[in-house]
Amino acid sequence: MIPFEYVAPTRLDDAVKILAEKNGQAKVLAGGTDILVQLREGMRSAELVVDVKKIPELMELSFSPETGLRLGAATPCYRIYENPAIAAAYPALADATHIVGGWQIQSRASVGGNLCNSSPAGDTIPSLIAYDVKCQIVGAKGTREVSATEFCTAPGRNVLQPGELLVSLIFPPPAPHANAAYQRFIPRNEMDIAVAGAASWVQLGAQGQTIERARIALAAVAPRPVFAEEASQWLAGRPANEESFAQAGELAKKAASPIDDMRGTREYRIHLAGVLTRRTLALAVERARA
């Protein structure tokens, strides 16, 4: 590993100033489970590593049914799924954070870090897209918001500009008769990177028989996690039954443009996109009715 300097600011303003001064030569450490491995293996380089876990805004975890969830970008995964109110309000997020590595990783790794790493197979990113999360970004020029749907741009790349910092993830309040689910497929427990993943969010009518709105997102089947827009829009007004789930799964496949690699073939990944869409829709509807 090439030597680098380390700082751990306690104020957001200080962190932004440090990142701006380094103009892209500094890397942010939210949990360290990705960046330290990348630095050690020469996949990334840094003159300075900025640890943001001591900044209150990046460790925030605040929720109310009226205003939604505000999740600091460095908040570790375990704090999400161990919070009963948050896990009940955003179960797809709990599904995802519960399978990010082992429990040792979950004590450090964060959803914000997973998003900024921008892996096409990032487990937490499809749930952010399904919930239509907004990403609060701070830099020397001020604050801006970007949809989680648009945050990742390519493998390992995103909308963050040199000197910018992801501060918070803002979830809308839970909607009535709505719920969500995330699932992934891995070939064996020892291989923790998904062959494919899917998150589905649905809002049902008052009687629980019709889908009013839906959002479906896929992982590991394209150069970035993707919003399956056609499948999501098609579900509006459809019966909440297996036939609808199956057709939405077929439409979701159109959003998939995967590659062949050691984890799976292109054809297999496309097939899994349909299967996981169907399964997560069924589970989301079951949760919404409950």
Side-chain angles (χ1 to χ4, degrees), residues 26-223:
K27 294 293 184 286
V28 174
L29 187 153
T33 59
D34 285 317
I35 189 64
L36 292 179
V37 173
Q38 293 164 354
L39 290 171
R40 185 176 65 237
E41 295 183 356
M43 299 168 62
R44 294 181 187 261
S45 61
E47 295 178 0
L48 176 69
V49 170
V50 183
D51 187 342
V52 295
K53 277 197 177 290
K54 294 184 180 181
I55 301 173
E57 292 92 334
L58 276 88
M59 295 297 288
E60 183 178 3
L61 188 65
S62 59
F63 166 70
S64 79
E66 293 76 26
T67 60
L69 170 65
R70 191 176 188 91
L71 175 61
T75 304
C77 290
Y78 81 94
R79 288 187 59 200
I80 296 166
Y81 64 74
E82 286 192 355
N83 186 306
I86 293 174
Y90 304 98
L93 181 64
D95 292 340
T97 53
H98 212 281
I99 56 174
V100 175
W103 62 266
Q104 300 98 328
I105 296 294
Q106 293 158 17
S107 70
R108 288 288 304 178
S110 67
V111 175
N114 195 229
L115 179 60
C116 290
N117 194 50
S118 301
S119 166
D123 277 314
T124 66
I125 304 175
S127 63
L128 302 183
I129 296 172
Y131 283 122
D132 199 16
V133 166
K134 305 302 179 189
C135 309
Q136 184 188 52
I137 298 168
V138 175
K141 296 181 180 179
T143 302
R144 65 187 179 111
E145 279 191 3
V146 175
S147 167
T149 305
E150 304 299 330
F151 189 90
C152 301
T153 58
R157 297 185 181 275
N158 54 58
V159 298
L160 290 176
Q161 298 299 309
E164 285 190 324
L165 175 66
L166 176 65
V167 176
S168 299
L169 301 169
I170 304 167
F171 291 69
H177 313 296
N179 222 311
Y182 172 75
Q183 292 184 358
R184 70 176 182 183
F185 176 81
I186 53 176
R188 59 183 188 272
N189 289 336
E190 292 80 8
M191 182 177 285
D192 196 52
I193 303 175
V195 179
S200 295
W201 174 91
V202 297
Q203 184 173 15
L204 304 180
Q207 302 303 314
Q209 300 305 310
T210 303
I211 298 172
E212 293 188 345
R213 290 193 298 150
R215 288 183 64 86
I216 301 165
L218 305 172
V221 296

